[in-house]
Amino acid sequence: MASVRQIEANRRNATRSTGPKSAGGKTRSSQNALRHGLARSAIGDPAETANFAVAIASGLGHGVTPASALALARSKFALLRLRRLRQDMLAGLLADPIPAGLKRLKALERYERYALAQQRRALRSLGTTEG
């Protein structure tokens, strides 16, 4: 456990670490998570996703809820987008291999793991074990 002196020092330091002060800084920092768009919950055209969800539901038959079909459609579109982006990044690395490109490629794995987890959850909610 921290001592009283350490707690007081932490509180003093926290008063100096409050984030951006100007309106421009606040606007800029609010967009940090959306820099590349991979963390968005809804990716792609909502109408296209809804049509794909209807196709999934009709293809799997009765007992499929619209919400679970929509979740599966979203996860599939996210995976397609990530894989397309990976291909583009790999092609760029072949043309100009730079360490920053490798770092970005490695960071892409995080989003793919998340999309795969979403897909697994959606498939479980459908009652299937297909991948």
Side-chain angles (χ1 to χ4, degrees):
M1 181 155 175
S3 69
V4 174
R5 282 183 58 195
Q6 184 62 50
I7 292 171
E8 289 172 2
N10 287 344
R11 286 183 182 152
R12 282 191 308 273
N13 288 338
T15 61
R16 291 179 285 178
S17 307
T18 58
K21 304 270 191 265
S22 68
K26 289 178 182 182
T27 303
R28 196 169 44 254
S29 70
S30 72
Q31 300 302 310
N32 284 346
L34 301 176
R35 187 175 25 202
H36 46 62
L38 295 175
R40 290 184 300 178
S41 59
I43 294 176
D45 181 26
E48 185 180 25
T49 306
N51 289 339
F52 188 45
V54 169
I56 289 171
S58 65
L60 293 176
H62 64 83
V64 176
T65 64
S68 59
L70 188 60
L72 182 58
R74 284 182 180 145
S75 67
K76 288 293 189 183
F77 277 125
L79 283 169
L80 285 172
R81 182 168 187 241
L82 286 162
R83 289 175 178 160
R84 193 175 319 121
L85 182 59
R86 176 184 286 120
Q87 285 180 332
D88 293 344
M89 291 172 84
L90 286 171
L93 282 172
L94 287 174
D96 185 22
I98 56 169
L102 292 172
K103 186 176 177 182
R104 286 194 306 267
L105 189 62
K106 184 172 174 19
L108 196 62
E109 291 177 17
R110 171 180 148 209
Y111 296 102
E112 186 172 15
R113 282 193 308 270
Y114 180 73
L116 286 169
Q118 284 182 319
Q119 177 180 283
R120 281 191 298 275
R121 279 192 298 274
L123 287 171
R124 259 183 299 206
S125 73
L126 290 174
T128 66
T129 57
E130 298 174 20

